[in-house]
Amino acid sequence: SFSPCQTTSVTCWVVILSCVGCSVVPLPYLPFELKMDPQPTVVKAGAGRVQSKAGVCISRRNWKKWPAWRRCCTVCGLITLFFFVVLVIFALWFLQGVGPCSEIGPYLTSDEYVNVSRGPENWLVFTPATPHSSNTAFVFLPGAKVAAESYAPVAKGVAKLGFLVVVPSFPLRFAIIDSNVPARIYAHYQNDYANWAIGGHSLGAATSGLFLARSDRPAAFTKLALLSGTPASSVRDQNLHTTVVYGTHDGFFQNDVAGWVSNAQSLLPTSNTVFVPIQGGIHAYMGCYGLPGTLEGFPVNDGVPTINRENQTAIVVEAIGDLLMI
């Protein structure tokens, strides 16, 4: 059977090919056509033809003489073609993706403390050499358009503390497409780990909230770690230990950090929720990536950091570690 990721990919291809088909079928009915003249000739104006140097002319069809069904087919085809072109342009922009950064290599390499491997569905798995006594596993969901590998510094840092960390990949690098991935990760590792935590960055944080709001989600998930993001669904009434990490220079907050924190508080449990501000931290430094067309590797609409990426990563790792040790 197909996984949700595979099903989504197949569906996208079916939609794209259908658009192409709908766009191509009406082409014979367009009001213009190209014709080859074996001997280019000069044609008087008004004769319905325009001379070209290569002997190729454009002939105008008489739109008014067409039957209604033919004109309707042409109009529908042109509209479909327009939206298909827009869809292709959007897809090319969306599929660019970001990350990982050039210095990611060592974080994706196994060492004496952490084994780095690939699990089912291309999950990125960080397994500690010496597990923590809490026997906890952590599922981390990437931000929108960001490669899973971009979060290897955070994931490996948390794994060094003794926790299994799994970072899944998603179709179109969009976690919200398949919010059931954490359940499949749990099903795969549930015999090895009794306690579970979930979290993510930005859209990954929002998707974490969607997963926890599901009535059929595994009860073993009792901890939530949010990096520069809030849950898409309120988890205020759930019995969760929650840690929220954010940068005070995060440009995605639109210069209203206090407002963002207030909104996050309204969605999270009133007790057992900890906010960890990173002074001078930014959105992009939650991972190791940069966005296209940006200055010095961080988003145009992000803030200007007064802390380096390594120090911000260390604070994030410590905050998540404190949560998982509870």
Side-chain angles (χ1 to χ4, degrees), residues 119-137:
E121 300 182 38
N122 203 35
W123 303 334
L124 194 55
V125 183
F126 299 81
T127 307
T130 306
H132 189 270
S133 58
S134 64
N135 195 28
T136 300

Side-chain angles (χ1 to χ4, degrees), residues 24-91:
V24 172
V25 168
L27 291 182
Y29 305 116
L30 293 177
F32 299 97
E33 64 176 344
L34 294 178
K35 287 186 176 181
M36 293 294 298
D37 279 350
Q39 295 294 330
T41 56
V42 176
V43 182
K44 294 182 180 180
R49 300 172 68 201
V50 180
Q51 177 83 29
S52 72
K53 295 181 179 180
V56 179
C57 65
I58 303 175
S59 292
R60 294 192 294 271
R61 294 188 174 104
N62 193 334
W63 173 275
K64 295 181 180 179
K65 292 183 179 180
W66 289 5
W69 67 267
R70 190 173 181 182
R71 281 180 283 179
C72 181
C73 183
T74 301
V75 171
C76 291
L78 291 173
I79 293 173
T80 303
L81 182 60
F82 170 77
F83 282 106
F84 175 68
V85 171
V86 172
L87 176 64
V88 169
I89 294 173
F90 174 78

Side-chain angles (χ1 to χ4, degrees), residues 46-195:
R49 300 172 68 201
V50 180
Q51 177 83 29
S52 72
K53 295 181 179 180
V56 179
C57 65
I58 303 175
S59 292
R60 294 192 294 271
R61 294 188 174 104
N62 193 334
W63 173 275
K64 295 181 180 179
K65 292 183 179 180
W66 289 5
W69 67 267
R70 190 173 181 182
R71 281 180 283 179
C72 181
C73 183
T74 301
V75 171
C76 291
L78 291 173
I79 293 173
T80 303
L81 182 60
F82 170 77
F83 282 106
F84 175 68
V85 171
V86 172
L87 176 64
V88 169
I89 294 173
F90 174 78
L92 290 175
W93 168 80
F94 192 85
L95 291 174
Q96 285 182 33
V98 292
C101 54
S102 58
E103 60 267 30
I104 203 71
Y107 299 102
L108 294 172
T109 305
S110 299
D111 56 30
E112 59 183 310
Y113 304 106
V114 178
N115 178 63
V116 183
S117 61
R118 291 285 180 177
E121 300 182 38
N122 203 35
W123 303 334
L124 194 55
V125 183
F126 299 81
T127 307
T130 306
H132 189 270
S133 58
S134 64
N135 195 28
T136 300
F138 177 48
V139 179
F140 186 88
L141 308 182
K145 297 178 64 178
V146 184
E149 294 80 2
S150 301
Y151 298 98
V154 169
K156 194 170 186 179
V158 173
K160 282 185 177 180
L161 299 176
F163 307 102
L164 174 77
V165 182
V166 182
V167 187
S169 297
F170 291 88
L172 305 180
R173 296 182 176 181
F174 209 57
I176 205 167
I177 288 178
D178 188 3
S179 63
N180 198 43
V181 166
R184 297 202 297 276
I185 294 174
Y186 170 78
H188 188 77
Y189 292 103
Q190 62 177 323
N191 294 330
D192 301 319
Y193 295 90
N195 301 303

Side-chain angles (χ1 to χ4, degrees), residues 215-294:
S215 60
D216 60 343
R217 60 99 168 170
F221 284 90
T222 59
K223 299 170 184 177
L224 174 63
L226 305 175
L227 309 185
S228 296
T230 57
S233 296
S234 175
V235 293
R236 191 173 180 81
D237 297 329
Q238 297 201 34
N239 185 22
L240 295 169
H241 286 276
T242 306
T243 293
V244 182
V245 187
Y246 63 95
T248 59
H249 287 194
D250 192 320
F252 286 66
F253 298 163
Q254 302 297 314
N255 297 318
D256 186 14
V257 176
W260 182 88
V261 171
S262 177
N263 176 65
Q265 289 173 332
S266 69
L267 299 170
L268 298 171
T270 54
S271 59
N272 299 323
T273 296
V274 177
F275 285 82
V276 181
I278 300 178
Q279 298 301 321
I282 63 171
H283 200 85
Y285 279 5
M286 293 298 178
C288 190
Y289 68 91
L291 293 176
T294 62

Side-chain angles (χ1 to χ4, degrees), residues 283-309:
H283 200 85
Y285 279 5
M286 293 298 178
C288 190
Y289 68 91
L291 293 176
T294 62
L295 180 63
E296 297 181 6
F298 47 84
V300 173
N301 55 342
D302 205 347
V304 178
T306 57
I307 186 174
N308 62 39
R309 192 193 308 273

